[in-house]
Amino acid sequence: MNWNQMWKTTSLLAVTAMLGTTLAGCGNTGSNSTTSAAGSSASKGDNTLVVYSAGPEGLAKKIEAGFEAKTGIQVEMFQGTTGKVLSRMEAEKSNPVVDVVVLASLPSMQSMAKEGLTLPYPAAANHDKLVKDWSDANGNYFSYSASALGIVYNTKQVKTPPTSWEELTKPQWKDKVNIPDPSLSGSALDFITGYLSVKGDSGWSLFQQYKQNGVAMAGANQEALDPVVTGAKDVVVAGVDYMAYKAKKDGEPVDIVYPSEGTVISPRPAAIIKTTKHEEQAKQFIDYLLSDEAQQLVAKASLLPGRTDIKADNRANLSDIKTYPVKWDWMDEHGADVAARFTELYK
């Protein structure tokens, strides 16, 4: 599967968003994406690294600052959703400028590696401490963090939160639930394809029942969460957990549960792009992502650290979350078809 294919088989909304990002170049694309001068010049100095990152914004900025302080290398960063990052890379493929890419979807990164677009770095520092299922054994990509998908709910309006995915098909939840758009959210696509990789074609019945019960496809992750924060909706299904933890910490009336039958983890892989002209600087960036310092930043941002020896103290850790035995290769292979079928169902 072409690494950008799944992001082309999308709704008009997604296409518009992607084109807006590409045409805007280095302009501000809203609260979920930030840009610097990344890609604005044809050549970069030896002390500059271009990074395209699928958030989260606060963590990305702290990692940028920490890396610059440690190495003296200047980072020029474009930030957006996974779809926007891949769309920008597609637009620039005849004249690539990006050195390192961070995505919020492991299958998308797997596709890039299969097509030979990544530069292996098997000697990356601390690579042996990473969760093995989330990273490439040959060093093509490294999942430095992850999020788990759960049921995020408004605590003022929901006194007894649902404890299973199927519960949200019941009449009491009619027209009260959002789900992120998998054409805009890599983690939402991970959830849907991961669920189907376990359940098979019969798994579509859940999403069909969601549609019949008034579940609304509501933009990317933040757009799906915001109405729950305000009380316009009660629940986000397949909500990104670190966003819920952050909102709760900020005093918003939200919390999260992980369904008892299991859920999907969405790793956030980073890779050096093969066309980089700054290989050594890019390797230093990967090393920093996997360092004690950066992994502690990950933990403080309420994400799951990529390393097994570092735990977060402000959220559920990997050992606390029951997960489905997803089939990553299946998810990669079928991502485009799943995204197209899902967006057609929710038109």
Side-chain angles (χ1 to χ4, degrees), residues 9-65:
T9 56
T10 58
S11 65
L12 179 61
L13 173 64
V15 173
T16 301
M18 290 180 189
L19 288 175
T21 301
T22 302
L23 293 174
C26 298
N28 190 351
T29 59
S31 61
N32 288 321
S33 60
T34 58
T35 56
S36 65
S40 62
S41 61
S43 61
K44 299 291 178 185
D46 288 339
N47 214 38
T48 300
L49 193 71
V50 178
V51 178
Y52 291 178
S53 177
E57 180 180 349
L59 174 61
K61 287 298 182 185
K62 288 178 181 177
I63 286 174
E64 177 183 345

Side-chain angles (χ1 to χ4, degrees), residues 149-151 164-168 191 210 237-238 259 261-263 324:
L149 289 309
I151 296 173
S164 72
W165 304 116
E166 288 77 12
E167 191 173 337
L168 292 169
F191 171 75
Y210 279 175
V237 61
E261 69 269 31
T263 188
Y324 287 127

Side-chain angles (χ1 to χ4, degrees), residues 67-178:
F67 174 72
E68 289 181 342
K70 187 176 183 67
T71 65
I73 298 169
Q74 180 185 357
V75 174
E76 296 189 0
M77 183 175 290
F78 166 79
Q79 189 176 9
T81 64
T82 292
K84 291 178 180 179
V85 168
L86 294 180
S87 181
R88 187 178 181 115
M89 291 178 67
E90 177 72 9
E92 297 174 346
K93 65 181 180 181
S94 62
N95 184 30
V97 297
V98 63
D99 299 304
V100 175
V101 169
V102 181
L103 301 180
S105 173
L106 180 56
S108 298
M109 187 66 83
Q110 288 176 320
S111 289
M112 291 177 62
K114 287 176 183 177
E115 293 194 14
L117 301 177
T118 58
L119 180 71
Y121 180 32
N126 296 309
H127 70 91
D128 57 325
K129 298 176 182 177
L130 294 171
V131 178
K132 287 184 170 53
D133 289 345
W134 300 352
S135 297
D136 180 57
N138 297 315
N140 282 288
Y141 55 82
F142 307 89
S143 290
Y144 80 106
S145 66
S147 57
L149 289 309
I151 296 173
V152 183
Y153 61 97
N154 184 297
T155 55
K156 291 182 177 179
Q157 298 177 186
V158 178
K159 300 307 178 186
T160 305
T163 58
S164 72
W165 304 116
E166 288 77 12
E167 191 173 337
L168 292 169
T169 66
K170 294 181 178 180
Q172 71 190 81
W173 301 106
K174 186 171 178 60
D175 300 325
K176 296 180 179 180
V177 180
N178 278 345

